[in-house]
Amino acid sequence: MTNVVFTTYKQQPEGSADDAATASLLKENGVTVDSIPWDQEQVQWADYDLVVPRSCWDYHLRADEFRVWLERLKESGARVANSVDTLRWNMHKSYLRELESKGISILPTIWLEKGSDAELSSLLMERGWQEAVIKPMISADADNT
């Protein structure tokens, strides 16, 4: 039997509704699914057939700790859905700039350095935009957006 773990976070250790729906489908097909917060101590991640990062929704608030966990996960030899290197790369929104430099279209974006003195109304006017999304470089969903 295949044994999978979905990584979650402490405030919702059972995972999200989407996690539950996905787990239900997997269970119907004979897969055992556990949900464990990513920062729970003493978990032997390599004991699972697959570690699936699902709803680690506080990673952006604890980015340094999350990076340490990713490194421990990699060192454990656990099989991870999406490589640890990809997860680490994807944490910081600069990955979008890298994709764009390789010819992949992204939404029109202005990259501002932390602490820059930019005026939103001027930036919008310069580009002819009516709306914009302002997002930290390390963020999850709409938190601080």
Side-chain angles (χ1 to χ4, degrees):
M1 178 179 290
T2 302
N3 189 14
V4 171
V5 61
F6 287 174
T7 59
T8 62
Y9 76 125
K10 284 182 183 176
Q11 287 73 19
Q12 197 173 29
E14 73 285 353
S16 69
D18 287 342
D19 294 345
T22 303
S24 178
L25 290 172
L26 289 170
K27 288 175 185 176
E28 288 175 15
N29 288 285
V31 177
T32 300
V33 180
D34 293 333
S35 294
I36 300 175
W38 65 268
D39 59 348
Q40 185 169 314
E41 298 293 328
Q42 308 304 318
V43 177
Q44 300 301 313
W45 300 104
D47 288 350
Y48 289 92
D49 296 314
L50 184 63
V51 177
V52 183
R54 288 287 301 178
S55 44
C56 306
W57 291 339
D58 63 346
Y59 83 90
H60 64 295
L61 302 173
R62 302 166 53 205
D64 290 338
E65 291 172 67
F66 192 73
R67 282 188 197 97
V68 168
W69 174 74
L70 287 173
E71 193 55 37
R72 281 197 320 262
L73 187 61
K74 186 175 184 175
E75 289 172 0
S76 77
R79 183 172 174 222
V80 183
N82 288 325
S83 74
V84 168
D85 292 338
T86 299
L87 293 168
R88 190 181 307 109
W89 173 73
N90 186 251
M91 284 179 65
H92 196 279
K93 301 308 176 234
S94 61
Y95 79 90
L96 295 168
R97 191 178 340 198
E98 185 179 334
L99 291 174
E100 184 178 41
S101 75
K102 295 180 182 201
I104 297 171
S105 295
I106 65 169
L107 290 173
T109 302
I110 301 169
W111 303 95
L112 300 174
E113 295 301 318
K114 187 174 184 172
S116 66
D117 190 19
E119 188 173 318
L120 180 59
S121 60
S122 296
L123 293 173
L124 291 172
M125 191 179 318
E126 288 170 13
R127 285 157 180 83
W129 297 348
Q130 299 298 310
E131 298 177 315
V133 174
I134 301 170
K135 190 165 185 136
M137 293 298 280
I138 297 179
S139 62
D141 296 325
D143 190 48
N144 286 321
T145 300

